Amino acid sequence: MTSSETVSGPAPSPPPAPGSDVLLSVRGLQVHFPIKRGLVFDRTVGHVRAVDGVDLDVRRGQTYGLVGESGCGKSTFGRGLLRLEEPTGGSVIFDGQDIRSLKPEALRLMRRRMQMVFQDPLASLDPRQSVQSLLSEPLTVHGLSTADAEEFGRDSSSSHLAKAAAMLEVVGLPRGALAKYPHEFSGGQRQRIGIARAMILNPDLVIADEPVSALDVSVQAQVINLLEHLQDLLGLTYIVIAHDLAVVRHISDVIGVMYLGRLVEEAPSDDLYAQPLHPYTIALMSAIPIPDPEIEDHRERILLRGDLPSPANPPSGCRFHTRCPYRQQTRCDTEEPVLRDLGAVAPGRRVACHYAEEILAGQIAISDPSLQIDPVAG
Amino acid sequence: MSETVTLEPGGRRGRRATREPVDRHQALLEVKNLNVTFQRRGGRATRAVDGVSFSVKPGEVVGIVGESGSGKSVTSLAVMGLLPSRGVQVSGEALYRGRNLLTMGNQELSSLRGRDLAMVFQDPMSSLNPVIPVGLQVTEVLRRHEDLTRQQARDEAEDLLRRCGIPDPRRRLGEYPHQLSGGMRQRALIAIALACKPALLICDEPTTALDVTIQAQVLELLKELVSELGTAMVMITHDLGVVAGLCDFVNVMYAGRVVESADRRELFAHPRHRYTHGLLNSIPRLDSPRGEALRPIPGTPRDTIAWSKACAFAPRCQFADDDCVVDDLELAPLGAAGHRVRCVHPAPEEDK
Ligand SMILES: Nc1ncnc2c1ncn2[C@@H]1O[C@H](COP(=O)(O)OP(=O)(O)OP(=O)(O)O)[C@@H](O)[C@H]1O
Ligand SMILES: Nc1ncnc2c1ncn2[C@@H]1O[C@H](COP(=O)(O)OP(=O)(O)OP(=O)(O)O)[C@@H](O)[C@H]1O
Ligand code: SF4
Ligand code: SF4
Ligand SMILES: [Mg+2]
Ligand SMILES: [Mg+2]
């Protein structure tokens, strides 16, 4: 085990008490993967610090969006919450219970309340399983919820079938789909089935990892609307992981931006686009193409140099300093910034940059002018 | 088009490739009525590309945008003569400086491909040679085109890799494709395509696999190429945002046909075809107000009718009626100059 570097600054606020409007509270979450070498004996020669100290709260009924570039640890974070990947440090408090301390049986029971939707959920499943068996499998494992048992009767194959059919209708597929097999559906329909499977146990929290990125552009909106509809209908709380910021911004109330295993910025959805504060977010926002030539021609673009560094060996100090266009001579290379509240400057937001206030006030400019591309007039 | 940008202060600007002089006003590539039909033995024939026409001038970027299976890649492969020789029928013309690429002999075509025409593919691994270091793959192309010493070629390759956003290019020169990340491979491929300073560059989803921050670097580089060297570029993508920022002229494809084509400003300001219009309305935009439900297009691109019977988009179109059930709808001029639409009930002009 590697331990996270000690960072200066205030300690993160303690997790909220049970019954509060915070459903999920994550503190200092770490998921490190050992890097093994050697022919005879596996020797651990280092760790991939995929998730390396993340603190965040998700409120009931809200959608928390998580964005960041490929390899920054978004999926590992989502899997770590459910212990599909064992965290190596930190805590996950779900509705007042510490997930990391649960015994296998208690964890199994807890999982019915936390479900996951994948990019292409059926790609990894047995193609010989019919939709009916895909949907009733979770019911066989966990049983119907109390409310569903009242509606459909005690657990039995007929009550499970009734619930499966009802669920299909909710996601907009005909009952006839029950007898079909995954390959008989389009990508969008398969995602509906994946969503039905995740929601059939009436979970409280759904973690959707790239739920629309495998879909055709014209089909994405259908699935986004479906997710929103189900949230209203079932009172769900979502964590939506995606690299498409426009999609994330559309469905999320709060967005967290990840960089190399850490959260670098968190803000209400609208604020993040209106005024990104962390240099990485500023560059990210400026890089996203907008389908409107008038806007594209008049945008300032901030280029980043290089790639995401290896999470096995993150840069010293601020992890973003190797690519940061605002990097300063002091602190950036040596001192890791904590994710901190900016207070009155930007209420409700957290940023992990030593110089966020100065950058916001325009007191620090981009050091290398070739990284800044100014809008072209006309 | 956007202004010239130089990603690196030390970048070599203003070097012109030695080639026949180009007339910037004359089309460099003219594709006329291109048809591609796949016929598997015993299977039904599928027409992947159905009467596609477009042209590209030097220094111009022409976009081909459409969803999965609409025929974008097949169009570009046909133009480059890279479709399999069996089970495929290609007809029409693809005139490069007036010579038809579709009927050209293999030898002539491959010499043209290495010199004047280049392509960046969707899948980088399939087009890099896995057993040759990346650097050598770049210097080979450079030395084939210019009289360079080995050292000069190395320096130039390093410069090119750096400008394509590859960090630490000197070290990368000696690495094999499998040692690079997916995004890095894609950029190496772009570097190889740019090495011969092609007169015509066809890019098939060159940035789809890349993170947006890297995509921004690559798109700037491509813009620079077009404005500095006057390269003619065909940009294939499903990303309307990329089109909006890069292309001068846009062709929207659906089920093998161009359904709408226009100057990019005209297209985004006044989308007229019901598919284009619906698509622009359905995608979430970073800059649009939140809180409204999206307005999706029903169905999937697979729900289609043969163009010979009706409008292929009819099964998904809320404006479809009997008038749309006609064979071979025409791509007809509508509104502003150069705007063409294949639709019986186009969206009104003011309706965005
Ligand atoms: N089981 C594993 N063993 C070792 N390393 C892993 C494992 N799973 C993930 N990683 C590494 O952890 C880092 C984070 O991976 P993760 O899949 O969480 O990223 P991501 O943000 O979801 O990326 P993407 O957008 O590509 O899905 C990467 O460097 C990845 O290679
Ligand atoms: N070698 C082939 N043999 C048979 N059919 C093919 C072949 N290549 C492509 N097709 C078919 O031609 C049609 C157009 O395919 P194409 O690859 O051009 O789509 P595309 O627009 O590039 O899609 P994508 O966005 O997924 O890359 C598809 O229906 C495809 O199945
Ligand atoms: S702390 Fe320094 S390097 Fe890090 S984001 Fe802020 S300015 Fe950039
Ligand atoms: S021709 Fe008819 S079906 Fe096709 S897009 Fe236009 S209105 Fe819709
Ligand atoms: Mg992931
Ligand atoms: Mg393609």
Side-chain angles (χ1 to χ4, degrees):
Chain A
M1 255 296 306
T2 41
S3 61
S4 77
E5 287 161 43
T6 40
V7 287
S8 55
S13 57
S20 84
D21 74 339
V22 173
L23 179 64
L24 180 79
S25 183
V26 180
R27 290 294 176 271
L29 190 71
Q30 286 184 356
V31 184
H32 292 181
F33 297 107
I35 305 169
K36 306 258 193 203
R37 287 278 153 70
L39 291 173
V40 184
F41 302 105
D42 270 354
R43 271 187 314 125
T44 298
V45 296
H47 286 90
V48 177
R49 302 155 125 206
V51 177
D52 202 21
V54 170
D55 301 331
L56 58 85
D57 287 342
V58 182
R59 295 183 185 282
R60 283 177 210 275
Q62 279 204 331
T63 300
Y64 193 104
L66 206 54
V67 297
E69 70 201 279
S70 181
C72 71
K74 306 180 294 295
S75 298
T76 307
F77 175 79
R79 297 172 58 80
L81 297 180
L82 298 187
R83 282 175 63 188
L84 296 172
E85 223 62 87
E86 273 306 332
T88 48
S91 68
V92 178
I93 311 292
F94 175 75
D95 206 11
Q97 285 207 57
D98 183 356
I99 297 287
R100 286 196 66 203
S101 67
L102 294 180
K103 299 263 178 323
E105 177 58 16
L107 179 64
R108 198 182 67 85
L109 287 174
M110 189 57 98
R111 282 217 180 115
R112 80 170 295 152
R113 301 183 56 195
M114 306 166 84
Q115 289 288 315
M116 202 144 177
V117 171
F118 300 96
Q119 190 165 347
D120 184 357
L122 303 190
S124 57
L125 291 174
D126 185 354
R128 287 163 302 182
Q129 236 181 331
S130 68
V131 171
Q132 181 179 337
S133 103
L134 285 169
L135 291 187
S136 37
E137 196 173 59
L139 297 175
T140 314
V141 177
H142 292 282
L144 286 168
S145 67
T146 328
D148 281 338
E150 266 170 39
E151 188 175 345
F152 299 104
R154 276 189 307 120
D155 279 310
S156 69
S157 53
S158 67
S159 66
H160 290 179
L161 177 62
K163 171 69 186 173
M167 202 62 223
L168 265 191
E169 196 185 321
V170 172
V171 299
L173 287 175
R175 195 192 161 93
L178 282 173
K180 292 190 180 172
Y181 291 83
H183 71 266
E184 298 179 69
F185 296 93
S186 71
Q189 290 169 322
R190 284 213 293 272
Q191 191 53 288
R192 287 173 194 271
I193 297 167
I195 290 169
R197 187 173 144 105
M199 315 262 174
I200 201 159
L201 294 169
N202 290 344
D204 298 290
L205 175 70
V206 173
I207 300 166
D209 190 356
E210 302 283 1
V212 299
S213 54
L215 304 179
D216 267 308
V217 193
S218 70
V219 178
Q220 293 189 359
Q222 298 170 12
V223 172
I224 294 169
N225 280 2
L226 173 64
L227 285 170
E228 290 183 325
H229 169 68
L230 288 171
Q231 181 165 43
D232 293 344
L233 192 73
L234 306 171
L236 297 166
T237 304
Y238 284 151
I239 294 178
V240 175
I241 298 170
H243 65 271
D244 185 335
L245 237 158
V247 167
V248 171
R249 177 173 171 274
H250 178 85
I251 47 180
S252 306
D253 300 292
V254 178
I255 295 179
V257 182
M258 267 183 95
Y259 187 81
L260 214 56
R262 291 205 155 217
L263 223 46
V264 294
E265 177 159 10
E266 182 188 79
S269 236
D270 287 320
D271 299 357
L272 195 71
Y273 172 71
Q275 184 61 265
L277 297 176
H278 192 279
Y280 175 64
T281 323
I282 296 173
L284 189 64
M285 287 292 178
S286 84
I288 295 166
I290 291 178
D292 187 336
E294 304 299 327
I295 293 176
E296 279 296 299
D297 288 356
H298 297 93
R299 282 172 95 196
E300 183 188 71
R301 194 146 272 166
I302 297 175
L303 296 181
L304 291 183
R305 221 183 250 134
D307 278 314
L308 192 70
S310 162
N313 189 15
S316 65
C318 174
R319 281 164 200 231
F320 186 54
H321 87 248
T322 53
R323 300 167 76 195
C324 180
Y326 295 92
R327 172 185 172 190
Q328 298 298 300
Q329 297 300 326
T330 49
R331 298 182 81 190
C332 292
D333 304 11
T334 51
E335 198 183 318
E336 180 147 27
V338 285
L339 187 66
R340 63 198 170 90
D341 223 302
L342 288 194
V345 180
R349 307 183 56 164
R350 297 192 295 160
V351 190
C353 167
H354 296 306
Y355 296 102
E357 287 88 344
E358 289 84 348
I359 293 169
L360 177 64
Q363 292 157 358
I364 294 181
I366 289 180
S367 43
D368 178 350
S370 75
L371 295 176
Q372 186 162 13
I373 293 175
D374 286 323
V376 180
Chain B
M1 257 324 291
S2 95
E3 194 191 51
T4 304
V5 286
T6 308
L7 296 183
E8 291 294 322
R12 295 161 189 246
R13 304 178 67 150
R15 269 170 11 93
R16 293 284 183 275
T18 44
R19 200 181 278 121
E20 302 166 44
V22 291
D23 178 350
R24 288 213 171 210
H25 303 289
Q26 183 140 23
L28 193 67
L29 175 73
E30 222 177 336
V31 174
K32 291 182 182 168
N33 195 24
L34 179 70
N35 291 282
V36 180
T37 308
F38 290 101
Q39 171 89 68
R40 283 225 187 76
R41 245 188 306 156
R44 261 190 335 141
T46 49
R47 173 156 296 192
V49 176
D50 194 355
V52 166
S53 303
F54 63 91
S55 66
V56 201
K57 293 201 258 302
E60 186 185 41
V61 185
V62 169
I64 300 180
V65 54
E67 290 180 89
S68 186
S70 58
K72 308 182 296 295
S73 295
V74 172
T75 298
S76 61
L77 292 171
V79 169
M80 295 296 271
L82 294 172
L83 285 171
S85 52
R86 284 157 173 271
V88 191
Q89 280 181 331
V90 182
S91 68
E93 286 179 305
L95 303 175
Y96 175 74
R97 295 179 194 272
R99 290 145 77 199
N100 189 357
L101 298 172
L102 302 184
T103 53
M104 198 176 274
N106 264 341
Q107 210 160 7
E108 197 182 354
L109 186 60
S110 57
S111 88
L112 209 52
R113 267 206 301 265
R115 203 178 58 231
D116 287 29
L117 318 177
M119 183 156 174
V120 178
F121 294 91
Q122 209 163 351
D123 168 19
M125 208 48 194
S126 68
S127 35
L128 285 169
N129 189 329
V131 297
I132 300 180
V134 175
L136 198 55
Q137 299 192 45
V138 181
T139 51
E140 259 180 13
V141 180
L142 287 170
R143 297 190 68 193
R144 212 178 320 135
H145 293 282
E146 285 174 75
D147 194 18
L148 296 176
T149 66
R150 195 157 295 172
Q151 189 52 46
Q152 283 170 330
R154 274 187 68 90
D155 290 347
E156 183 133 344
E158 189 183 325
D159 185 43
L160 198 57
L161 290 182
R162 181 180 305 112
R163 300 213 297 155
C164 289
I166 294 181
D168 199 1
R170 181 166 291 271
R171 182 165 60 86
R172 298 292 177 193
L173 284 176
E175 292 190 338
Y176 293 88
H178 74 265
Q179 291 173 288
L180 306 181
S181 70
M184 207 105 79
R185 258 182 239 143
Q186 189 67 349
R187 280 172 277 162
L189 196 64
I190 291 170
I192 293 170
L194 301 191
C196 66
K197 302 186 184 64
L200 173 69
L201 179 65
I202 301 185
C203 294
D204 188 353
E205 308 263 11
T207 58
T208 302
L210 305 179
D211 279 306
V212 282
T213 56
I214 308 290
Q215 167 171 288
Q217 287 177 15
V218 170
L219 293 179
E220 285 306 327
L221 184 77
L222 292 175
K223 279 184 192 171
E224 186 184 333
L225 182 81
V226 168
S227 62
E228 281 190 19
L229 297 181
T231 303
M233 193 160 106
V234 178
M235 182 68 172
I236 293 174
T237 178
H238 67 271
D239 188 332
L240 289 159
V242 170
V243 171
L246 184 69
C247 300
D248 299 300
F249 193 82
V250 190
N251 297 285
V252 181
M253 281 188 77
Y254 196 83
R257 287 198 178 180
V258 173
V259 293
E260 181 159 16
S261 60
D263 174 79
R264 68 171 178 144
R265 284 172 185 276
E266 168 69 11
L267 186 87
F268 286 91
H270 309 294
R272 307 297 297 277
H273 193 277
R274 292 295 177 180
Y275 168 66
T276 321
H277 189 261
L279 197 58
L280 280 168
N281 270 328
S282 75
I283 51 179
R285 274 174 60 156
L286 198 57
D287 60 328
S288 59
R290 286 178 60 242
E292 281 168 49
L294 301 172
R295 282 173 284 171
I297 299 175
T300 85
R302 285 209 242 160
D303 308 328
T304 162
I305 299 185
W307 283 108
S308 57
K309 297 202 180 77
C311 170
F313 185 60
R316 308 178 67 192
C317 182
Q318 54 180 128
F319 299 90
D321 63 16
D322 288 349
D323 296 345
C324 308
V325 189
V326 287
D327 60 347
D328 296 315
L329 268 170
E330 206 190 333
L331 184 66
L334 185 71
H339 198 159
R340 287 149 72 86
V341 182
R342 196 188 296 277
C343 177
V344 189
H345 307 298
E349 183 158 7
E350 63 284 359
D351 187 6
K352 192 175 172 181

